[in-house]
Amino acid sequence: MIALALPAATNESEGFVPPTIDDLHLPEILPWGAHYGEGFGKQMLLVLLSVVLISWFLVAASRRGQMVPGKFQFLGEYSYNFVRNSVGKDLIGEKDFRPYVPVLVSLFFFILVNNLMGSIPLVQLPTTSHVGTAYALAGFVYILWIVLGIRTHGIGYFKVAVVPSGVPKAFLVPVVIIEIVSNFVVRPLTHSLRLFATMLAGHMIIALAASGSAFLLTQTSGVVPALGVLTMAGGVGMYLFEIFIQVLQAYVFVLLTAVYIQGSISEAH
């Protein structure tokens, strides 16, 4: 907040220049130095790296199953059982949840690792803060629960999805319109934008705190540099809070995925 209150630089005067989204977009790797969005860049590299890290972790955690698990085995089993039981089993139901556990676990680990990329020194880029990643994940889930609904109910799934039981005929038309917009338009948008917006906002706040602290400590005099210490302390607090949000958003995304799957395979709306 101290950094936000500082004057931005203009052509006539010098002052604190808050970071923008463009400042967080590095030049592309292939072709080297190309503008952001024109090639293969850091964000794509981190997505691929996350897949390698997740695969390595899961293989290492399950390679040697022991009665008394080691650190890797314990962490892998705990994470898997958390998603399997607390998300899949509790929300989809004990009868139907098992076929969807691989999808839920994969989504959870992928989103978690890519979120945490924003808190790793020198990496510091949550790939889900780019809207394309969030759209791709939500789009996959969107197609998944529609396909599951059609497989369970046939083409009549769309009636099940938008016509709630027990609605009086006088209110049926407006209710159906609301349900169509809510289920097939708003749901995938909020599913993606919730993840994207929280990751981008946290990334920008940390960048703002860091640049504000640097400006106060190095570019000011008198008692003003002392405010840089306060800004830095606030930035550390936001950094720790952002780690919590990164874990929470991975859980929320998978939680909503399970809710959508359960709704598409259930017998009644």
Side-chain angles (χ1 to χ4, degrees), residues 159-165 179 183 187 263 266-269:
K159 180 181 178 181
V160 174
V162 302
V163 183
S165 58
E179 289 290 323
N183 290 333
R187 178 185 290 185
S266 63
E267 293 300 325
H269 179 43

Side-chain angles (χ1 to χ4, degrees), residues 16-39:
F16 174 67
V17 181
T20 65
I21 294 178
D22 291 337
D23 295 326
L24 305 180
H25 291 161
L26 299 177
E28 302 288 38
I29 299 174
L30 295 174
W32 181 259
H35 293 294
Y36 172 77
E38 296 181 359

Side-chain angles (χ1 to χ4, degrees), residues 96-111:
D96 301 316
F97 81 98
R98 288 179 179 82
Y100 310 109
V101 171
V103 173
L104 297 176
V105 172
S106 299
L107 282 173
F108 177 76
F109 275 106
F110 181 80
I111 296 172

Side-chain angles (χ1 to χ4, degrees), residues 118-121 124 206 234-244 246:
S119 298
I120 300 175
Q124 295 174 314
I206 293 172
V236 172
M238 288 303 305
Y239 172 79
L240 297 176
F241 181 69
E242 179 63 12
I243 294 176
F244 168 73
Q246 288 164 350

